[in-house]
Coordinates of all heavy atoms in Angstrom, one line a residue:
S1 N -86.2 102.0 -39.3 CA -87.2 103.0 -39.0 C -87.3 103.1 -37.4 O -86.9 102.2 -36.7 CB -88.6 102.6 -39.6 OG -89.2 101.6 -38.8
F2 N -88.0 104.1 -37.0 CA -88.2 104.4 -35.6 C -89.0 103.3 -34.9 O -88.7 102.9 -33.8 CB -88.9 105.7 -35.4 CG -89.1 106.0 -33.9 CD1 -88.1 106.4 -33.1 CD2 -90.4 105.9 -33.4 CE1 -88.4 106.6 -31.7 CE2 -90.7 106.1 -32.1 CZ -89.6 106.5 -31.2
C3 N -90.0 102.8 -35.6 CA -90.8 101.7 -35.0 C -90.1 100.4 -34.7 O -90.2 99.8 -33.7 CB -92.0 101.4 -35.9 SG -93.2 102.8 -36.0
S4 N -89.2 100.1 -35.6 CA -88.4 98.8 -35.4 C -87.4 99.0 -34.3 O -87.2 98.1 -33.5 CB -87.7 98.4 -36.7 OG -86.8 99.4 -37.1
I5 N -86.8 100.2 -34.2 CA -85.9 100.5 -33.1 C -86.7 100.5 -31.7 O -86.2 99.9 -30.7 CB -85.2 101.8 -33.3 CG1 -84.3 101.8 -34.5 CG2 -84.4 102.2 -32.0 CD1 -83.7 103.1 -34.9
A6 N -87.8 101.1 -31.7 CA -88.7 101.2 -30.5 C -89.1 99.8 -30.1 O -89.1 99.4 -28.9 CB -89.9 102.1 -30.7
Y7 N -89.4 98.9 -31.1 CA -89.9 97.6 -30.8 C -88.7 96.8 -30.2 O -88.9 96.0 -29.3 CB -90.4 96.9 -32.1 CG -90.8 95.5 -31.9 CD1 -91.9 95.1 -31.2 CD2 -90.0 94.4 -32.4 CE1 -92.3 93.8 -31.0 CE2 -90.3 93.1 -32.2 CZ -91.5 92.8 -31.5 OH -91.9 91.5 -31.3
A8 N -87.5 96.9 -30.8 CA -86.3 96.2 -30.3 C -86.0 96.6 -28.9 O -85.7 95.8 -28.0 CB -85.1 96.5 -31.2
I9 N -86.1 97.9 -28.6 CA -85.9 98.4 -27.2 C -86.9 97.8 -26.3 O -86.6 97.4 -25.2 CB -85.8 100.0 -27.2 CG1 -84.6 100.5 -27.9 CG2 -85.8 100.5 -25.7 CD1 -84.6 102.0 -28.1
A10 N -88.2 97.9 -26.7 CA -89.2 97.4 -25.8 C -89.0 95.9 -25.6 O -89.3 95.4 -24.5 CB -90.6 97.6 -26.5
K11 N -88.6 95.1 -26.6 CA -88.3 93.7 -26.4 C -87.2 93.4 -25.4 O -87.3 92.5 -24.6 CB -88.0 93.1 -27.8 CG -88.2 91.7 -27.9 CD -88.0 91.2 -29.4 CE -88.2 89.7 -29.5 NZ -88.0 89.3 -30.8
K12 N -86.2 94.3 -25.5 CA -85.1 94.1 -24.5 C -85.5 94.4 -23.1 O -85.2 93.8 -22.1 CB -83.9 94.9 -24.9 CG -83.1 94.3 -26.1 CD -81.9 95.1 -26.4 CE -81.2 94.4 -27.6 NZ -79.9 94.7 -27.8
I13 N -86.3 95.5 -23.0 CA -86.8 95.9 -21.7 C -87.7 94.8 -21.1 O -87.7 94.5 -19.9 CB -87.5 97.2 -21.7 CG1 -86.5 98.4 -22.0 CG2 -88.3 97.5 -20.5 CD1 -87.1 99.7 -22.2
D14 N -88.6 94.2 -22.0 CA -89.4 93.2 -21.6 C -88.6 92.0 -21.1 O -88.9 91.3 -20.1 CB -90.3 92.8 -22.8 CG -91.6 92.1 -22.3 OD1 -92.1 92.5 -21.2 OD2 -92.1 91.2 -23.0
F15 N -87.6 91.6 -21.8 CA -86.7 90.5 -21.5 C -86.1 90.8 -20.1 O -86.0 89.9 -19.2 CB -85.6 90.3 -22.5 CG -84.6 89.3 -22.1 CD1 -84.8 88.0 -22.1 CD2 -83.3 89.7 -21.7 CE1 -83.9 87.1 -21.7 CE2 -82.4 88.9 -21.3 CZ -82.6 87.5 -21.3
L16 N -85.6 92.0 -19.9 CA -84.9 92.3 -18.6 C -85.9 92.2 -17.4 O -85.6 91.8 -16.4 CB -84.3 93.7 -18.7 CG -83.0 93.8 -19.5 CD1 -82.6 95.2 -19.6 CD2 -81.9 92.9 -19.0
F17 N -87.2 92.7 -17.7 CA -88.2 92.6 -16.7 C -88.5 91.2 -16.3 O -88.5 90.9 -15.1 CB -89.5 93.3 -17.2 CG -90.6 93.2 -16.3 CD1 -90.7 93.9 -15.1 CD2 -91.7 92.3 -16.6 CE1 -91.8 93.8 -14.3 CE2 -92.8 92.2 -15.7 CZ -92.8 92.9 -14.6
Y18 N -88.6 90.3 -17.2 CA -88.9 88.9 -16.9 C -87.7 88.2 -16.3 O -87.8 87.3 -15.5 CB -89.4 88.2 -18.1 CG -90.8 88.5 -18.4 CD1 -91.2 89.2 -19.6 CD2 -91.8 88.2 -17.6 CE1 -92.5 89.5 -19.9 CE2 -93.2 88.5 -17.8 CZ -93.5 89.2 -19.0 OH -94.8 89.5 -19.2
L19 N -86.5 88.7 -16.7 CA -85.3 88.1 -16.1 C -85.2 88.5 -14.6 O -84.9 87.7 -13.8 CB -84.0 88.6 -16.8 CG -82.7 88.1 -16.3 CD1 -82.6 86.6 -16.5 CD2 -81.6 88.8 -17.0
I20 N -85.5 89.7 -14.3 CA -85.5 90.2 -12.9 C -86.5 89.5 -12.1 O -86.3 89.0 -11.0 CB -85.7 91.7 -12.8 CG1 -84.4 92.4 -13.4 CG2 -86.0 92.2 -11.4 CD1 -84.6 93.9 -13.6
L21 N -87.7 89.3 -12.7 CA -88.8 88.5 -12.0 C -88.3 87.1 -11.7 O -88.6 86.5 -10.7 CB -90.1 88.5 -12.8 CG -91.0 89.7 -12.7 CD1 -92.2 89.5 -13.6 CD2 -91.4 89.9 -11.3
Y22 N -87.7 86.5 -12.7 CA -87.2 85.1 -12.5 C -86.2 85.0 -11.4 O -86.2 84.1 -10.6 CB -86.6 84.6 -13.8 CG -86.0 83.2 -13.7 CD1 -86.8 82.1 -13.7 CD2 -84.6 83.0 -13.6 CE1 -86.3 80.8 -13.5 CE2 -84.1 81.7 -13.5 CZ -85.0 80.7 -13.5 OH -84.4 79.4 -13.3
I23 N -85.2 86.0 -11.4 CA -84.2 86.0 -10.3 C -84.9 86.2 -8.9 O -84.5 85.5 -8.0 CB -83.2 87.1 -10.6 CG1 -82.4 86.7 -11.8 CG2 -82.3 87.3 -9.4 CD1 -81.5 87.8 -12.3
I24 N -85.8 87.1 -8.8 CA -86.5 87.3 -7.6 C -87.3 86.0 -7.2 O -87.2 85.6 -6.0 CB -87.5 88.5 -7.6 CG1 -86.6 89.8 -7.8 CG2 -88.4 88.5 -6.4 CD1 -87.5 91.0 -8.1
F25 N -88.0 85.4 -8.1 CA -88.7 84.2 -7.8 C -87.8 83.0 -7.4 O -88.1 82.3 -6.4 CB -89.5 83.7 -9.1 CG -90.3 82.5 -8.9 CD1 -91.4 82.4 -8.2 CD2 -89.8 81.3 -9.5 CE1 -92.1 81.3 -8.0 CE2 -90.5 80.1 -9.3 CZ -91.7 80.1 -8.6
D26 N -86.6 82.9 -8.1 CA -85.7 81.9 -7.7 C -85.1 82.1 -6.3 O -85.0 81.2 -5.5 CB -84.5 81.9 -8.7 CG -83.8 80.6 -8.8 OD1 -84.4 79.6 -8.6 OD2 -82.6 80.7 -9.0
F27 N -84.9 83.4 -5.9 CA -84.4 83.7 -4.6 C -85.5 83.3 -3.5 O -85.2 82.8 -2.5 CB -84.0 85.2 -4.5 CG -83.6 85.6 -3.1 CD1 -82.4 85.2 -2.6 CD2 -84.5 86.4 -2.3 CE1 -82.0 85.6 -1.3 CE2 -84.1 86.8 -1.1 CZ -82.9 86.4 -0.6
I28 N -86.7 83.7 -3.8 CA -87.8 83.4 -2.9 C -88.0 81.9 -2.7 O -88.1 81.4 -1.6 CB -89.1 84.0 -3.3 CG1 -89.0 85.6 -3.2 CG2 -90.3 83.5 -2.5 CD1 -90.2 86.3 -3.8
M29 N -87.8 81.1 -3.8 CA -88.0 79.7 -3.7 C -86.8 79.1 -2.9 O -87.0 78.1 -2.1 CB -88.0 79.0 -5.1 CG -89.3 79.3 -5.8 SD -90.8 79.0 -4.9 CE -90.7 77.2 -4.8
A30 N -85.6 79.6 -3.0 CA -84.5 79.2 -2.2 C -84.7 79.5 -0.7 O -84.4 78.6 0.1 CB -83.2 79.8 -2.7
V31 N -85.2 80.6 -0.4 CA -85.5 81.0 1.0 C -86.6 80.0 1.5 O -86.4 79.6 2.7 CB -86.0 82.5 1.1 CG1 -86.6 82.7 2.4 CG2 -84.8 83.4 0.8
I32 N -87.6 79.7 0.8 CA -88.6 78.8 1.3 C -88.0 77.4 1.5 O -88.3 76.8 2.6 CB -89.8 78.7 0.2 CG1 -90.6 80.1 0.2 CG2 -90.7 77.6 0.5 CD1 -91.6 80.2 -0.8
M33 N -87.2 77.0 0.6 CA -86.6 75.6 0.9 C -85.7 75.7 2.1 O -85.7 74.7 2.9 CB -85.8 75.2 -0.4 CG -86.7 74.9 -1.6 SD -87.9 73.7 -1.3 CE -86.8 72.3 -1.2
F34 N -84.9 76.7 2.3 CA -84.0 76.9 3.4 C -84.8 76.9 4.7 O -84.4 76.4 5.7 CB -83.2 78.1 3.3 CG -82.1 78.3 4.3 CD1 -81.1 77.4 4.4 CD2 -82.2 79.3 5.3 CE1 -80.1 77.5 5.4 CE2 -81.3 79.4 6.3 CZ -80.2 78.6 6.3
M35 N -86.0 77.6 4.7 CA -86.8 77.8 5.9 C -87.5 76.5 6.3 O -88.0 76.3 7.4 CB -87.9 78.9 5.7 CG -87.3 80.3 5.5 SD -86.7 81.0 6.9 CE -88.2 81.5 7.7
S36 N -87.5 75.5 5.4 CA -88.1 74.2 5.8 C -87.2 73.3 6.4 O -87.6 72.3 7.0 CB -88.7 73.6 4.5 OG -87.7 73.1 3.7
L37 N -85.9 73.5 6.4 CA -84.9 72.6 7.0 C -85.1 72.3 8.5 O -85.0 71.2 8.9 CB -83.5 73.2 6.8 CG -83.0 73.1 5.3 CD1 -81.6 73.7 5.2 CD2 -83.0 71.7 4.8
P38 N -85.5 73.3 9.3 CA -85.7 73.0 10.7 C -86.8 72.0 10.9 O -86.7 71.1 11.8 CB -86.1 74.3 11.4 CG -85.5 75.4 10.5 CD -85.6 74.8 9.1
F39 N -87.8 72.0 10.1 CA -88.9 71.0 10.2 C -88.5 69.6 9.8 O -88.9 68.6 10.4 CB -90.1 71.5 9.5 CG -90.7 72.8 10.1 CD1 -90.4 74.0 9.5 CD2 -91.5 72.7 11.2 CE1 -90.9 75.2 10.0 CE2 -92.0 73.9 11.8 CZ -91.7 75.1 11.2
I40 N -87.6 69.5 8.8 CA -87.1 68.2 8.4 C -86.3 67.6 9.5 O -86.4 66.4 9.8 CB -86.3 68.4 7.0 CG1 -87.3 68.8 5.9 CG2 -85.6 67.1 6.7 CD1 -86.6 69.2 4.7
I41 N -85.4 68.4 10.1 CA -84.6 68.0 11.2 C -85.5 67.7 12.4 O -85.3 66.7 13.1 CB -83.5 69.0 11.5 CG1 -82.5 69.1 10.3 CG2 -82.8 68.6 12.8 CD1 -81.6 70.3 10.4
G42 N -86.5 68.5 12.6 CA -87.5 68.3 13.7 C -88.2 66.9 13.6 O -88.5 66.3 14.6
I43 N -88.5 66.5 12.4 CA -89.1 65.2 12.2 C -88.2 64.1 12.7 O -88.7 63.2 13.3 CB -89.5 65.0 10.7 CG1 -90.6 66.0 10.3 CG2 -89.9 63.6 10.4 CD1 -90.9 66.0 8.8
M44 N -86.9 64.2 12.3 CA -86.0 63.2 12.8 C -85.9 63.2 14.3 O -85.8 62.1 14.9 CB -84.6 63.5 12.1 CG -84.6 63.2 10.6 SD -83.0 63.5 10.0 CE -83.3 64.6 8.6
V45 N -85.8 64.3 14.9 CA -85.7 64.4 16.4 C -87.0 63.9 17.0 O -87.0 63.2 18.0 CB -85.5 65.8 16.8 CG1 -85.5 66.0 18.4 CG2 -84.1 66.3 16.3
D46 N -88.2 64.1 16.4 CA -89.5 63.7 16.9 C -89.6 62.2 16.9 O -90.3 61.6 17.7 CB -90.6 64.3 16.1 CG -91.2 65.5 16.7 OD1 -90.9 65.7 17.9 OD2 -91.9 66.3 16.1
I47 N -88.8 61.5 16.1 CA -88.9 60.0 16.1 C -88.4 59.5 17.4 O -88.9 58.5 18.0 CB -88.1 59.5 14.8 CG1 -88.8 59.8 13.6 CG2 -87.9 58.0 15.0 CD1 -88.1 59.5 12.3
R48 N -87.3 60.1 17.9 CA -86.7 59.7 19.2 C -87.4 60.3 20.4 O -87.7 59.6 21.4 CB -85.2 60.0 19.2 CG -84.4 59.2 18.3 CD -84.0 58.0 19.1 NE -82.9 57.3 18.3 CZ -82.4 56.2 18.7 NH1 -82.8 55.6 19.8 NH2 -81.5 55.6 18.0
H49 N -87.6 61.6 20.3 CA -88.1 62.4 21.5 C -89.4 63.1 21.0 O -89.3 64.2 20.4 CB -87.1 63.4 22.0 CG -85.7 62.7 22.3 ND1 -85.5 62.0 23.4 CD2 -84.6 62.8 21.5 CE1 -84.2 61.5 23.3 NE2 -83.7 62.0 22.2
Q50 N -90.5 62.6 21.3 CA -91.8 63.1 20.8 C -92.0 64.5 21.3 O -91.9 64.8 22.5 CB -92.9 62.2 21.3 CG -93.8 61.8 20.1 CD -94.9 60.9 20.6 OE1 -95.0 60.6 21.7 NE2 -95.6 60.3 19.6
G51 N -92.4 65.5 20.4 CA -92.7 66.8 20.8 C -91.6 67.8 20.8 O -91.8 69.0 20.6
I52 N -90.4 67.3 21.1 CA -89.2 68.2 21.3 C -88.8 68.8 19.9 O -88.5 69.9 19.7 CB -88.1 67.5 22.0 CG1 -88.5 67.2 23.4 CG2 -86.8 68.4 21.9 CD1 -87.5 66.4 24.2
G53 N -88.8 67.9 18.9 CA -88.4 68.3 17.6 C -89.2 69.3 16.9 O -88.7 70.3 16.3
C54 N -90.5 69.2 17.1 CA -91.5 70.2 16.5 C -91.3 71.5 17.2 O -91.3 72.5 16.5 CB -92.9 69.6 16.6 SG -94.1 70.7 15.9
F55 N -91.2 71.5 18.5 CA -91.1 72.7 19.3 C -89.8 73.4 18.9 O -89.7 74.6 18.6 CB -91.1 72.5 20.8 CG -90.9 73.7 21.6 CD1 -91.8 74.7 21.7 CD2 -89.7 73.9 22.2 CE1 -91.6 75.8 22.5 CE2 -89.4 75.0 23.0 CZ -90.4 76.0 23.1
A56 N -88.7 72.7 18.8 CA -87.4 73.2 18.4 C -87.4 73.8 17.0 O -86.8 74.8 16.7 CB -86.3 72.2 18.6
A57 N -88.1 73.1 16.1 CA -88.2 73.5 14.7 C -88.9 74.9 14.7 O -88.5 75.8 13.9 CB -88.9 72.5 13.9
W58 N -90.0 75.0 15.4 CA -90.7 76.3 15.4 C -89.9 77.5 16.0 O -89.9 78.6 15.5 CB -92.0 76.2 16.2 CG -93.1 75.7 15.3 CD1 -93.7 74.4 15.4 CD2 -93.7 76.3 14.2 NE1 -94.6 74.3 14.4 CE2 -94.7 75.4 13.6 CE3 -93.6 77.5 13.6 CZ2 -95.4 75.7 12.5 CZ3 -94.3 77.9 12.5 CH2 -95.3 77.0 12.0
V59 N -89.1 77.1 17.1 CA -88.2 78.2 17.7 C -87.1 78.6 16.7 O -86.9 79.8 16.4 CB -87.6 77.6 19.0 CG1 -86.5 78.6 19.5 CG2 -88.7 77.5 20.0
I60 N -86.5 77.6 16.0 CA -85.5 77.9 15.1 C -86.1 78.7 13.9 O -85.5 79.6 13.4 CB -84.8 76.6 14.6 CG1 -84.0 76.0 15.8 CG2 -83.8 76.9 13.4 CD1 -83.5 74.6 15.5
W61 N -87.2 78.2 13.4 CA -87.9 78.9 12.3 C -88.2 80.4 12.7 O -88.0 81.3 11.8 CB -89.2 78.2 11.9 CG -89.8 78.8 10.7 CD1 -89.6 78.4 9.4 CD2 -90.8 79.8 10.6 NE1 -90.3 79.1 8.5 CE2 -91.1 80.0 9.2 CE3 -91.5 80.6 11.6 CZ2 -92.0 81.0 8.8 CZ3 -92.4 81.5 11.1 CH2 -92.6 81.7 9.8
G62 N -88.7 80.6 13.9 CA -88.9 82.0 14.3 C -87.7 82.8 14.3 O -87.7 84.0 13.8
V63 N -86.6 82.3 14.8 CA -85.3 83.1 14.7 C -84.9 83.3 13.3 O -84.5 84.5 12.9 CB -84.2 82.3 15.5 CG1 -82.9 82.9 15.3 CG2 -84.5 82.2 17.0
M64 N -85.0 82.3 12.4 CA -84.7 82.5 11.0 C -85.6 83.5 10.3 O -85.1 84.3 9.5 CB -84.8 81.1 10.3 CG -83.7 80.2 10.6 SD -84.0 78.5 10.0 CE -83.9 78.8 8.2
F65 N -86.8 83.5 10.7 CA -87.8 84.5 10.1 C -87.4 85.9 10.5 O -87.4 86.8 9.7 CB -89.2 84.2 10.5 CG -90.3 85.0 9.9 CD1 -90.5 84.9 8.6 CD2 -91.0 85.9 10.6 CE1 -91.5 85.7 8.0 CE2 -91.9 86.7 10.1 CZ -92.2 86.6 8.7
I66 N -87.1 86.1 11.8 CA -86.7 87.5 12.3 C -85.4 87.9 11.5 O -85.3 89.1 11.1 CB -86.5 87.5 13.8 CG1 -87.9 87.3 14.5 CG2 -85.8 88.7 14.3 CD1 -87.8 87.0 15.9
L67 N -84.5 87.0 11.4 CA -83.2 87.4 10.7 C -83.5 87.7 9.2 O -82.9 88.6 8.6 CB -82.2 86.2 10.8 CG -81.6 86.0 12.2 CD1 -80.8 84.7 12.2 CD2 -80.9 87.2 12.6
L68 N -84.4 86.9 8.6 CA -84.8 87.2 7.2 C -85.5 88.6 7.1 O -85.2 89.3 6.1 CB -85.8 86.1 6.7 CG -86.2 86.2 5.3 CD1 -85.0 86.0 4.3 CD2 -87.3 85.2 5.0
L69 N -86.3 88.9 8.0 CA -86.9 90.3 8.0 C -85.9 91.4 8.1 O -86.0 92.4 7.5 CB -88.0 90.4 9.1 CG -89.3 89.6 8.9 CD1 -90.2 89.8 10.1 CD2 -90.0 90.0 7.6
R70 N -84.9 91.1 9.0 CA -83.8 92.1 9.2 C -83.0 92.2 7.9 O -82.6 93.3 7.5 CB -82.9 91.7 10.3 CG -83.6 91.9 11.7 CD -82.8 91.5 12.8 NE -81.6 92.5 12.9 CZ -80.6 92.3 13.7 NH1 -80.5 91.2 14.5 NH2 -79.6 93.1 13.7
L71 N -82.8 91.1 7.2 CA -82.0 91.1 5.9 C -82.8 91.9 4.9 O -82.2 92.8 4.2 CB -81.8 89.7 5.4 CG -81.2 89.6 4.0 CD1 -79.8 90.1 4.0 CD2 -81.3 88.2 3.5
F72 N -84.1 91.7 4.8 CA -84.9 92.4 3.8 C -85.0 93.9 4.1 O -84.9 94.7 3.2 CB -86.3 91.8 3.7 CG -86.4 90.6 2.9 CD1 -87.4 89.6 3.2 CD2 -85.6 90.3 1.8 CE1 -87.5 88.5 2.5 CE2 -85.7 89.2 1.1 CZ -86.6 88.2 1.4
N73 N -85.0 94.2 5.4 CA -85.0 95.6 5.8 C -83.7 96.3 5.4 O -83.7 97.4 4.9 CB -85.3 95.8 7.3 CG -85.7 97.2 7.7 OD1 -86.2 97.9 6.8 ND2 -85.4 97.5 8.9
A74 N -82.6 95.6 5.7 CA -81.3 96.1 5.3 C -81.2 96.3 3.8 O -80.6 97.3 3.3 CB -80.2 95.2 5.8
L75 N -81.7 95.3 3.0 CA -81.6 95.5 1.6 C -82.5 96.6 1.1 O -82.1 97.4 0.2 CB -82.0 94.2 0.9 CG -81.1 93.0 1.1 CD1 -81.7 91.7 0.5 CD2 -79.7 93.3 0.4
K76 N -83.6 96.8 1.7 CA -84.5 97.9 1.3 C -83.9 99.2 1.6 O -83.9 100.1 0.8 CB -85.8 97.7 2.0 CG -86.9 98.8 1.6 CD -88.2 98.5 2.3 CE -88.1 98.9 3.8 NZ -89.3 98.9 4.5
L77 N -83.3 99.4 2.8 CA -82.6 100.6 3.1 C -81.4 100.9 2.2 O -81.2 102.0 1.9 CB -82.2 100.6 4.6 CG -83.3 100.6 5.6 CD1 -82.7 100.5 7.0 CD2 -84.1 101.9 5.5
R78 N -80.7 99.8 1.9 CA -79.6 100.0 1.0 C -80.0 100.5 -0.4 O -79.3 101.3 -1.0 CB -78.8 98.6 0.9 CG -77.5 98.7 0.2 CD -76.9 97.3 0.3 NE -75.5 97.3 -0.1 CZ -74.8 96.3 -0.3 NH1 -75.3 95.1 -0.1 NH2 -73.6 96.4 -0.8
C79 N -81.1 100.0 -0.9 CA -81.6 100.4 -2.2 C -82.2 101.8 -2.2 O -82.2 102.4 -3.2 CB -82.7 99.4 -2.7 SG -82.0 97.8 -3.1
Q80 N -82.6 102.3 -1.0 CA -83.3 103.6 -1.0 C -82.3 104.7 -0.7 O -82.6 105.8 -0.8 CB -84.3 103.6 0.1 CG -85.5 102.8 -0.2 CD -86.5 102.7 0.9 OE1 -86.2 103.2 2.0 NE2 -87.7 102.2 0.7
K81 N -81.0 104.3 -0.4 CA -80.0 105.4 -0.1 C -79.8 106.2 -1.3 O -79.6 105.6 -2.4 CB -78.7 104.8 0.4 CG -78.8 104.4 1.9 CD -77.4 104.0 2.3 CE -77.4 103.6 3.8 NZ -76.1 103.1 4.2
K82 N -79.7 107.5 -1.2 CA -79.3 108.3 -2.3 C -77.8 108.4 -2.4 O -77.1 108.5 -1.4 CB -79.9 109.7 -2.1 CG -81.5 109.7 -2.1 CD -82.0 111.1 -1.9 CE -83.5 111.0 -1.9 NZ -84.2 112.3 -1.6
P83 N -77.3 108.5 -3.6 CA -75.9 108.6 -3.7 C -75.3 109.9 -3.2 O -76.0 110.9 -3.2 CB -75.6 108.5 -5.3 CG -77.0 108.7 -5.9 CD -78.0 108.4 -4.9
E84 N -74.2 109.8 -2.5 CA -73.6 111.0 -1.9 C -73.1 112.0 -3.0 O -72.5 111.6 -4.0 CB -72.4 110.6 -1.0 CG -72.8 109.7 0.1 CD -71.6 109.3 0.9 OE1 -70.5 109.8 0.7 OE2 -71.8 108.5 1.8
K85 N -73.3 113.2 -2.8 CA -72.8 114.3 -3.7 C -71.4 114.6 -3.3 O -71.0 114.8 -2.2 CB -73.7 115.5 -3.6 CG -75.1 115.3 -4.1 CD -75.9 116.6 -4.1 CE -77.3 116.3 -4.6 NZ -78.1 117.5 -4.5
R86 N -70.5 114.7 -4.4 CA -69.1 115.0 -4.1 C -68.8 116.5 -4.5 O -69.4 117.1 -5.3 CB -68.3 114.1 -5.0 CG -68.4 112.7 -4.4 CD -67.5 111.8 -5.2 NE -67.6 110.4 -4.7 CZ -66.9 109.5 -5.2 NH1 -65.9 109.7 -6.1 NH2 -67.0 108.3 -4.7

């Protein structure tokens, strides 16, 4: 019947929606873990040279953040491009 077909389609759409959310969440968590690396290295540097490791970690993090914003902007522009007409 139509209702069972509509339910099956809705179930697949629902699954795809949650799958996309999971992929996005997984990507964001990977970015967060990657962005913490300068601070972990900074802790090790701070043991030997007080204050330098934390400052260097913030500088590196700032550069990484700017590069991440540029990446997101490039991805956004790529997704918004309309296909060329032939």
Side-chain angles (χ1 to χ4, degrees):
S1 79
F2 176 75
C3 288
S4 62
I5 293 172
Y7 179 74
I9 292 171
K11 201 171 181 183
K12 286 189 181 195
I13 290 172
D14 204 34
F15 171 75
L16 289 174
F17 175 73
Y18 285 113
L19 180 65
I20 290 169
L21 277 182
Y22 177 76
I23 291 170
I24 291 171
F25 178 75
D26 202 34
F27 176 72
I28 290 172
M29 292 307 292
V31 167
I32 289 171
M33 293 302 292
F34 184 70
M35 296 286 282
S36 71
L37 288 178
F39 295 100
I40 294 170
I41 296 168
I43 290 169
M44 292 182 231
V45 172
D46 264 344
I47 292 172
R48 288 274 191 182
H49 310 283
Q50 233 175 8
I52 295 174
C54 182
F55 177 73
W58 276 109
V59 170
I60 294 169
W61 187 88
V63 170
M64 289 171 63
F65 185 69
I66 290 169
L67 292 174
L68 182 67
L69 290 178
R70 290 180 65 189
L71 171 70
F72 281 150
N73 194 25
L75 290 174
K76 184 176 73 171
L77 291 175
R78 191 176 187 189
C79 291
Q80 289 177 351
K81 278 188 181 175
K82 294 181 182 176
E84 297 177 11
K85 294 182 181 177
R86 293 182 181 185

